[in-house]
Amino acid sequence: MEPVYEPLKHEQKIYELWEKGGFFTGKIDKEKKPFSVILPLPNANDPMHMGHALFTIQDILCRYHRMLGDSVLWLPGSDHAGIETQFVFEKKLSKEGKSRFDFDRNTLFKMIWDFVEENREINIEQMKKLGFSLDWTRYHYSLEPEILKQIFDTFRKLHKEGLVYRGERLVNYCTFCGTAFSDLEVDHVERDDFLYYLDYGSLQIATTRPETIFADVAVAVNPEDKKYENLIGKKAIVPLINKEIPIIADSAVEKGFGTGALKITPAHDPVDFEIGKRHNLPVFSVIDLNGKMINVPNEIEGLYPKQARNKTTELLEKEGKLLKKEPLRHTVGICYRCKNLIEPLLMPQWFVKTKPLAAEAIEAVKKGKTKIFPPRFKKVYLDWMENIIDWNISRQIIWGPQIPAWYCLDCNQEIKINFLDKNGKLVSGIYKNLKENYPFEEIKNGLQSLTAPVEASYVTEENKSCPSCQGSRLLQETDTFDTWFLSGQWPLTTLGFNVKDPEKSAPDFKYFYPTSVMDTLWDILFFWVGRMMMFGLYLAEEVPFKLVHIHARVVDKFGQKMSKSKGNVVDPILMTEKYGADALRMSLVYGIAPASDIVVSEEKIKAMRNFANKVWNIGRFIKGSIDESGLSDKEKIPSFSKDMAGLSKEDREIVKDLEETIKKVTDLIEKYHFGLAAETIYEFIWHRFADQYIEYSKERVKNKDLAVFSVLRHVYLSSLKLLHPFMPFITESLWQIFSEDKESLTVSSWPKVQ
RNA sequence: GGCCGAUUAGCUCAGUUGGUCAGAGCGUCCGGUUUACAUCCGGAAGGCCGGGGGUUCGAGACCCUCAUCGGCCACCA
């Protein structure tokens, strides 16, 4: 044994040993208790970061349960990660001076596919480096045909049961990403803007968005507002275009704010949209999907809203309609991905009715069928579920499964189409205007995107001909599913659930579902955990997991979340190469309170590396002593038992302390206090066993005292077992040297108190 | 506006149900090396556990309140 433990010399070999032994392959064994965990699927194009390294917690649980004798399955996979991946890919394209609009959707899809394939393998290798005991034989990728088939069936089931519908709504649209988002994907930031007071004839209004006055359809005041009592039902005049609009009363208007009169612009503001609906007001848009002004005075037409604002206020000022302008700090929605302003725009989208799904997800948690740890997150979960709104599942991106809906062009001639013609030139227009000049095949082959009117008819199965007109010119919806629509069904699809006929689900599903633990970061509690709960209960009538374990978030030394854009990412793989995977893993759990932030510091990783070395050297001492004594023949060193002859007071004490440690660590793991569990083992091995007992034992080792060798070996092997879930590589390396049972520490039994 | 965290040694943080809980790592200081480990061993300095009030025989730990920092949710034009 070398005097200093060198992780790089051992880790790869050890992982190969595990893989060769098939120890991580989940087995359906009716005699055993299943313990299953689904890995939160990393993005296929994402290099590993500290968040992935935190899968250590799941590995601890899996290894612990494997040693308890449960039938463990930890199922890995990776996600195509729709918008994330397309965003990264588009950045790459733009570096090459290209954009997505240079390609038809099929070509673009293939390009991204290849791009992702290059990175997918890397991810897998990295997780092996961290020692994760994942069942690679059950690895899944989110775009596998079988996974897609199931989610399409889910869509059809939802559709058939009236839980999915198309609706024309004000949606969160990012004109830079070119897609709508669900409300969860909108970030809110505080910004300094101005509140403009404008003359609307009979009254004055205050607005932060003067460029949208052209889309005004009313002015609303609070019904209780004495100031405006007499004006309700009268008219106001939109300046610049001198449009007459009604003055209405709505309690959503706050009396004290601005002038107390609110211009109603249903097409570009969510509150206004709701008010408009209540009063049956028309909806009129002045910003298009490219984020440019339309249906406005010539000077403003074609400008971006920001430019349009300046121009509009300039014109207003000239006409004396801009009364004053005061600074205002307010919150605005920005795209979580590109950080540009979100435009609420009116457009048809696909929605899932979430209320009925959420009702079951609420009840399941309330009844404790799924528990949430730490418990305080239960309230967060319930608050969200109880206030859930319909879920926009359509995205105007191409990287993802297309929604299985087909429109007949002959029945829906108003469909808007963007495509590349046979010369590669981008053509946009309404089908009825295009059909004279372009054959259907040309449109279909060069198709980039289509937008069907909200009332357009469609079918959800791919037919050769239209069921109503028998025509054969059908185009599939170009919107793709929100990534979470797919990953929300991950525990079902990866285990082989059959949506159409649950009875025909795979044996894996029947044995391993519901899974035992879902360990994840709180920031995807709604995105993912919530959706998995809804889908699991809706499709399989059973919760997807019995426990949601919310783990900590890794932050830098300033307490900031690590992200590529901030440039503060600490590379776990680099740390692994420098100090070993065990050291990194231990540093991520040691002394960490449940769900509190983890500050990663190289110092701490180094300290854990030192601990690994201590564990190694204890082994080196014991092995050296045994070899030197000439007792290496195991016949001569009796295996330990409490009533063996020659035990000293110190022997009995260390064994008693070992047993207390076993009890305590087991208890702490059961309660998910991994931080304390790690500390307890560390403390025992280093400061109790090494510093005290081993120092004491040296005298007796010299005298070749058989009992002391038994105790040393017994305490050491038990310690390796306790430490194994946390530091699997080094403990396995040592186990291979010391244990008579050479199979693997991975499948040895968790120590028990006699 | 609603909700949730955090505030403990110079730094970063533990302290699970109230009673050797005033701790760890790093840093600092003193001492130690003829072979398990200097990625080590022994020892030391350093905190009235954010302020105030309360419950209790007893409180970092429970309750109230205030302050500061951070986060989440929410339609303030």
Side-chain angles (χ1 to χ4, degrees), chain A residues 134 188 327:
Chain A
L134 288 155
H188 297 273

Side-chain angles (χ1 to χ4, degrees), chain A residues 433-699:
Chain A
N433 301 332
L434 296 170
K435 66 179 180 181
E436 305 303 325
N437 302 321
Y438 301 94
F440 172 72
E441 286 305 320
E442 185 175 353
I443 293 176
K444 191 179 178 185
N445 292 336
L447 188 63
Q448 279 191 342
S449 62
L450 62 78
T451 310
V454 68
E455 66 280 359
S457 60
Y458 59 89
V459 290
T460 60
E461 301 282 350
E462 185 165 20
N463 291 328
K464 284 217 168 70
S465 58
C466 169
S468 63
C469 77
Q470 314 309 319
S472 60
R473 288 182 281 271
L474 279 83
L475 285 181
Q476 186 175 0
E477 172 63 82
T478 51
D479 282 2
T480 49
F481 280 112
D482 176 5
T483 295
W484 303 103
F485 184 85
L486 191 157
S487 47
Q489 300 173 55
W490 199 240
L492 298 162
T493 49
T494 55
L495 288 173
F497 179 71
N498 188 314
V499 174
K500 262 191 183 161
D501 189 354
E503 288 302 308
K504 286 189 185 152
S505 299
D508 268 6
F509 178 82
K510 290 174 182 161
Y511 184 71
F512 289 113
Y513 191 95
T515 63
S516 310
V517 179
M518 171 49 62
D519 169 62
T520 186
L521 193 62
W522 51 257
D523 65 355
I524 52 172
L525 187 63
F526 308 141
F527 281 107
W528 198 41
V529 175
R531 269 78 177 258
M532 283 191 287
M533 286 295 288
M534 292 192 283
F535 277 127
L537 287 159
Y538 172 64
L539 296 169
E541 295 176 4
E542 177 63 272
V543 294
F545 23 73
K546 293 173 205 152
L547 178 91
V548 178
H549 179 263
I550 309 287
H551 67 231
R553 162 182 91 143
V554 185
V555 297
D556 71 3
K557 57 188 165 187
F558 305 108
Q560 294 283 308
K561 185 177 177 176
M562 289 189 178
S563 74
K564 254 187 279 181
S565 55
K566 282 185 194 148
N568 60 352
V569 174
V570 177
D571 179 9
I573 296 301
L574 197 70
M575 291 297 115
T576 298
E577 281 160 5
K578 230 166 148 182
Y579 303 107
D582 291 326
L584 174 65
R585 292 168 57 114
M586 193 68 168
S587 73
L588 289 172
V589 291
Y590 181 93
I592 299 295
S596 75
D597 286 354
I598 302 172
V599 180
V600 169
S601 68
E602 195 161 339
E603 288 77 15
K604 188 171 177 188
I605 301 173
K606 208 186 273 182
M608 295 304 142
R609 185 272 314 262
N610 294 352
F611 174 59
N613 194 53
K614 171 59 75 173
V615 174
W616 180 259
N617 271 288
I618 294 170
R620 193 159 167 262
F621 168 77
I622 296 176
K623 183 157 195 312
S625 306
I626 293 175
D627 289 349
E628 214 167 290
S629 68
L631 294 168
S632 37
D633 182 358
K634 70 180 175 197
E635 297 294 315
K636 291 178 187 161
I637 300 172
S639 56
F640 173 82
S641 93
K642 273 183 180 171
D643 44 18
M644 69 191 296
L647 291 182
S648 70
K649 176 167 151 274
E650 287 79 0
D651 294 340
R652 293 184 202 285
E653 273 170 9
I654 187 72
V655 170
K656 189 168 151 261
D657 287 350
L658 169 70
E659 293 193 336
E660 263 168 33
T661 303
I662 292 169
K663 265 174 24 201
K664 200 168 160 193
V665 169
T666 307
D667 186 52
L668 286 169
I669 293 178
E670 290 286 344
K671 289 181 178 162
Y672 313 107
H673 286 282
F674 306 109
L676 285 172
E679 273 186 84
T680 305
I681 303 165
Y682 176 101
E683 204 57 29
F684 174 77
I685 292 181
W686 197 325
H687 300 302
R688 177 71 183 93
F689 185 46
D691 289 351
Q692 295 174 18
Y693 184 77
I694 289 186
E695 288 309 314
Y696 149 85
S697 77
K698 284 181 176 171
E699 197 60 32

Side-chain angles (χ1 to χ4, degrees), chain A residues 303-534:
Chain A
L303 296 178
Y304 288 108
K306 210 169 154 187
Q307 307 165 313
R309 182 173 307 173
N310 294 334
K311 192 73 197 170
T312 309
T313 51
E314 196 183 292
L315 294 173
L316 285 165
E317 199 158 17
K318 220 182 276 174
E319 296 207 2
K321 301 292 186 188
L322 175 59
L323 303 165
K324 67 172 172 173
K325 160 177 158 178
E326 59 188 31
L328 177 77
R329 166 159 290 196
H330 65 153
T331 53
V332 294
I334 58 167
C335 171
Y336 86 106
R337 188 57 275 180
C338 73
K339 309 297 174 197
N340 283 299
L341 204 65
I342 288 286
E343 280 296 346
L345 294 180
L346 190 70
M347 56 192 301
Q349 297 282 316
W350 296 87
F351 292 90
V352 169
K353 274 189 200 164
T354 39
K355 285 265 183 231
L357 305 181
E360 292 191 56
I362 290 166
E363 196 185 289
V365 165
K366 279 189 174 163
K367 279 188 175 165
K369 289 172 87 178
T370 294
K371 293 191 171 61
I372 299 179
F373 179 90
R376 68 184 142 97
F377 286 100
K378 181 174 164 180
K379 187 173 153 45
V380 180
Y381 169 92
L382 289 175
D383 282 351
W384 183 74
M385 275 292 177
E386 277 159 8
N387 296 302
I388 200 162
I389 56 167
D390 284 357
W391 173 18
N392 177 0
I393 54 166
S394 46
R395 297 290 177 275
Q396 291 69 50
I397 59 172
I398 69 105
W399 183 236
Q402 262 174 279
I403 290 175
W406 285 263
Y407 304 102
C408 169
L409 290 179
D410 295 309
C411 296
N412 302 288
Q413 303 220 3
E414 297 295 326
I415 288 181
K416 264 191 266 175
I417 293 173
N418 298 311
F419 72 101
L420 297 178
D421 70 10
K422 58 179 188 279
N423 303 315
K425 193 173 147 277
L426 181 62
V427 179
S428 302
I430 308 284
Y431 178 68
K432 74 175 171 204
N433 301 332
L434 296 170
K435 66 179 180 181
E436 305 303 325
N437 302 321
Y438 301 94
F440 172 72
E441 286 305 320
E442 185 175 353
I443 293 176
K444 191 179 178 185
N445 292 336
L447 188 63
Q448 279 191 342
S449 62
L450 62 78
T451 310
V454 68
E455 66 280 359
S457 60
Y458 59 89
V459 290
T460 60
E461 301 282 350
E462 185 165 20
N463 291 328
K464 284 217 168 70
S465 58
C466 169
S468 63
C469 77
Q470 314 309 319
S472 60
R473 288 182 281 271
L474 279 83
L475 285 181
Q476 186 175 0
E477 172 63 82
T478 51
D479 282 2
T480 49
F481 280 112
D482 176 5
T483 295
W484 303 103
F485 184 85
L486 191 157
S487 47
Q489 300 173 55
W490 199 240
L492 298 162
T493 49
T494 55
L495 288 173
F497 179 71
N498 188 314
V499 174
K500 262 191 183 161
D501 189 354
E503 288 302 308
K504 286 189 185 152
S505 299
D508 268 6
F509 178 82
K510 290 174 182 161
Y511 184 71
F512 289 113
Y513 191 95
T515 63
S516 310
V517 179
M518 171 49 62
D519 169 62
T520 186
L521 193 62
W522 51 257
D523 65 355
I524 52 172
L525 187 63
F526 308 141
F527 281 107
W528 198 41
V529 175
R531 269 78 177 258
M532 283 191 287
M533 286 295 288
M534 292 192 283

Side-chain angles (χ1 to χ4, degrees), chain A residues 211 214 286-287 291-296 300-305 308:
Chain A
E211 71 277 14
F214 313 109
V286 292
I287 302 170
K292 290 184 180 174
M293 304 300 295
I294 49 165
N295 306 324
V296 291
I300 296 166
E301 182 97 22
L303 296 178
Y304 288 108

